């Protein structure tokens, strides 16, 4: 990778993506932990509120979103921590591709490994909460549009917390308030599809806008946090 | 003295020593006038009765809770772009003060809400936004406590402050949207947009008084923070000297 | 207090009491912190520890 031309940058980022995906799915990776946690959370809900199907149908989308949010949070701790411990984060700081792009690629890999399985599992878990198939499609769509925002907001928290000794404990405290808008519009769009009466369109479009803002702000803020935190 | 001279911590200390008594006097005078107006001049609201007096504390506290974050965002730019030590000191001092005023806003809001709504907390849009702001203050303070080196902590906190500054308007918008979804728009809101002039004047004087109080505490806290960093630097020098000996 | 506060006097007084507590807490914090830092500085200087820049900064710019 000597020439600074375009293809080498793309191939470096592609190599990073493949590496992170491989690390996530191999033994000791933990890509499926999020889905298992998601399943566990959704299973706990009827024990907490009772097996009343009408109630479960009404709060189902909210429970799926909360479960996805928490499962996402669970995986964030490892987003940068293992790379920090084995020193590859230092290499990323010094490497030719801009740190912002490298972090965006890492977050994308994280979403493919932990966020996408949540989206795919949501329809199955929706059956447990008695959500109609058509409405479940809409809920899965909101998760597909919204979980990238959660990962990229989490990237900022991971960048801030990775160099701290107790960073793993701090991470949820830093990230959860920032996730409020995504939760509001994700659940609103889902509820619009399940129970109405407001239209699905506006909250869904705002959710997509939030994801786009997250895609831009997340890598830049995380890169700034790493540059200031690791020196 | 030019403004640029204040950038030097020693000169800033001298300035703070001279300005603090005057500011404190002005704040005390403003509070005397504001409390007199609020308690003896301002009429009761036709809808809320005497509980409107809570507004004179609640609204300035909310305003300062938000203004402190705005000040910290400016300071964060100073920290990240110019690496200015005083900007870091300013942000470090403003955070607990802003958190205190946000807390005051939440408590007075709940105490106002109980007689008005019949519940201490009804997830009103404004109060809920302030609650999220309070959570973010706590996260910021927790981040500060997690890093030992104050300069590094200041830069990390500056990044989080700016991310928060981008997010806070979005959170405000989201919570408003969420609130109109779940509640009819006719529900009475704390500190609504239309205030009678007879209530507005006492509110303005109280807001001025609280702002002056904020300035006093902020200056004094910055002075303390500079001294704290001197103590830290001296201790490190002492330890190094002991090591050499 | 001679004026009538109406049926919700307790809430009004509680709100002002909390405000007074928060303000008093801030004032106590800055005064106590100031005394502590001054005392620590004086102790360190009594032990002969001095800042390298202490002499330079005293000179007029």
């Amino acid at each position: 990778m000597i020439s600074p031309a375009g293809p080498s940058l793309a191939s470096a980022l592609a190599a990073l993506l493949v590496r992170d995906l491989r690390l996530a799915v191999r033994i000791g990776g933990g890509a499926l932990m999020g889905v298992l946690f998601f399943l566990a959370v959704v299973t706990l809900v009827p024990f907490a509120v009772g097996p009343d199907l009408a109630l479960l149908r009404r709060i189902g989308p909210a429970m799926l979103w909360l479960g996805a949010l928490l499962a996402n949070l669970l995986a964030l701790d490892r987003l940068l921590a293992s790379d920090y411990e084995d020193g590859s984060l230092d290499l990323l700081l010094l490497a030719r591709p801009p740190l912002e792009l490298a972090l965006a690629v890492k977050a994308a890999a994280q979403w493919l490994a932990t966020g996408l399985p949540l989206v795919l599992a949501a329809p199955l878990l929706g059956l447990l909460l008695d959500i109609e198939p058509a409405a479940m499609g809409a809920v899965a769509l909101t998760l597909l549009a919204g979980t990238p925002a959660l990962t990229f907001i989490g990237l900022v928290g991971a960048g801030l917390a990775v160099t701290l000794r107790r960073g793993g404990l701090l991470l949820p405290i830093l990230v959860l308030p920032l996730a409020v808008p995504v939760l509001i519009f994700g659940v609103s769009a889902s509820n619009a599809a399940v129970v109405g009466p407001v239209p699905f369109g506006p909250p869904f479009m705002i959710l997509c806008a939030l994801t786009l803002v997250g895609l831009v702000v997340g890598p830049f803020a995380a890169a700034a946090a790493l540059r200031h935190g690791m020196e | 003295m030019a403004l640029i001279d204040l950038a030097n911590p020693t000169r800033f200390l001298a300035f703070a020593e001279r300005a603090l008594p005057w500011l404190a006097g002005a704040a005390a005078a403003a509070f005397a006038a504001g409390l007199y107006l609020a308690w003896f001049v301002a009429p009761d609201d036709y809808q809320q009765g005497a509980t409107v007096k809570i507004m004179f504390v609640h609204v300035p506290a909310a305003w300062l809770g938000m203004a402190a974050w705005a000040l910290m965002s400016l300071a964060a730019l100073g920290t990240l772009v110019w690496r200015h030590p005083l900007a870091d000191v300013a942000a470090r001092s403003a955070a607990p003060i802003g958190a205190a005023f946000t807390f005051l806003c939440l408590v007075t809001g709940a105490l106002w809400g109980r007689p008005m709504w019949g519940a201490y907390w009804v997830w009103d849009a404004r109060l809920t936004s302030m609650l999220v702001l309070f959570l973010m203050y706590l996260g910021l303070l927790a981040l500060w406590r997690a890093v030992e080196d104050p300069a590094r902590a200041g830069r990390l906190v500056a990044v989080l402050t700016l991310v928060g500054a981008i997010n806070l308007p979005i959170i405000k918008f989201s919570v408003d949207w969420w609130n109109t979804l779940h509640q009819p728009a006719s529900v009475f809101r704390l500190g609504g947009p239309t205030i009678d002039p007879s209530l507005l004047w006492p509110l303005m004087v109280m807001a001025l008084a609280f702002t002056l109080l904020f300035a006093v505490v902020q200056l004094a806290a910055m002075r303390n923070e500079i001294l704290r960093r001197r103590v830290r630097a001296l201790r490190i020098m002492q330890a190094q000297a002991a090591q050499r000996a | 207090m001679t004026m009538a506060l109406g049926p919700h006097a307790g809430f009004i007084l509680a709100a002002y009491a909390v405000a007074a507590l928060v303000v008093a807490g801030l004032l106590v914090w800055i005064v106590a912190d100031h005394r502590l830092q001054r005392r620590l500085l004086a102790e360190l200087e009594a032990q002969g520890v001095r800042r390298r820049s202490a002499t330079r900064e005293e000179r007029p710019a």
Side-chain angles (χ1 to χ4, degrees), chain A residues 21 63 123 149 194:
Chain A
L21 281 176
M63 288 304 133
V194 177

Side-chain angles (χ1 to χ4, degrees), chain B residues 224, chain C residues 26-38:
Chain B
N224 292 350
Chain C
L26 284 173
L27 294 179
V28 167
W29 167 58
I30 55 171
V31 170
D33 196 21
H34 186 64
R35 289 208 180 130
L36 175 70
Q37 303 305 332
R38 283 278 180 221

Side-chain angles (χ1 to χ4, degrees), chain A residues 60-146:
Chain A
M63 288 304 133
L64 289 179
W65 257 95
L66 266 183
L69 179 69
L70 294 177
N72 206 289
L73 207 60
L74 194 70
L76 279 181
D77 190 25
R78 302 311 296 168
L79 173 51
L80 298 174
S82 52
D83 281 358
Y84 177 65
E85 283 154 15
D86 68 12
S88 35
L89 207 54
D90 292 295
L91 291 180
L92 277 184
L93 266 165
L94 300 171
R96 192 187 299 275
L99 184 60
E100 287 82 0
L101 272 179
L103 288 175
V105 166
K106 282 190 72 67
Q110 166 96 352
W111 181 76
L112 286 175
T114 63
L116 195 56
L118 297 180
V119 177
L120 297 178
L124 295 175
L125 299 182
L127 291 178
L128 298 176
L129 300 174
D130 195 32
I131 301 174
E132 300 290 321
M136 202 51 242
V139 176
L141 191 61
T142 63
L143 282 173
L144 181 68

Side-chain angles (χ1 to χ4, degrees), chain A residues 153 156 159-161 163-166 170 173-174 177-182 184-185 188-189 191 198 202-203 206 210 213 217 221-222 224-231, chain B residues 79-80 83 132-133 135-136 138-144 146-148 151-152 155-157 159-160 163-164 166-168 170-178 181-182:
Chain A
I153 290 170
V156 182
L160 285 167
T163 53
L164 312 180
R165 235 176 283 140
R166 286 297 180 85
L170 196 59
I173 304 170
L174 300 183
L178 300 175
V180 166
V182 180
I184 287 178
F185 286 104
S188 295
N191 274 334
V198 277
I206 298 174
L210 287 177
V213 171
V217 173
L226 279 183
R227 288 205 182 96
H228 290 292
M230 288 191 54
E231 59 193 49
Chain B
T79 303
L80 291 180
R83 298 226 163 177
V132 178
L133 178 65
L135 282 180
M136 294 188 54
L138 295 186
L140 209 62
L141 291 171
L143 180 58
W144 235 307
V147 193
E148 275 166 25
R152 194 166 76 101
R155 291 196 299 273
L156 284 178
V157 167
V159 172
L160 183 62
V163 171
I166 295 171
N167 252 279
L168 281 170
I170 300 179
I171 291 173
K172 180 99 184 71
F173 162 74
S174 314
V175 173
D176 283 349
W177 193 90
W178 163 83
L181 196 69
H182 290 275

Side-chain angles (χ1 to χ4, degrees), chain B residues 45-123:
Chain B
D45 190 75
Y46 73 101
Q47 247 184 337
Q48 311 167 40
T51 54
V52 77
K53 294 205 190 313
I54 299 179
M55 177 180 75
F56 302 126
V57 178
H58 173 78
V59 171
W63 134 247
L64 284 176
M66 291 185 280
W69 197 287
L71 178 73
M72 281 159 50
S73 305
L74 288 179
L77 282 179
T79 303
L80 291 180
V81 179
W82 297 288
R83 298 226 163 177
H84 198 291
L86 261 187
D88 184 23
V89 167
R92 179 81 187 90
S93 310
I97 309 173
F101 280 115
T102 309
F103 172 76
L104 179 58
C105 168
L106 289 175
V107 174
T108 53
L111 285 170
W112 197 4
R114 181 69 178 78
M116 287 300 104
W117 294 321
Y120 285 104
W121 194 268
V122 296
W123 296 99

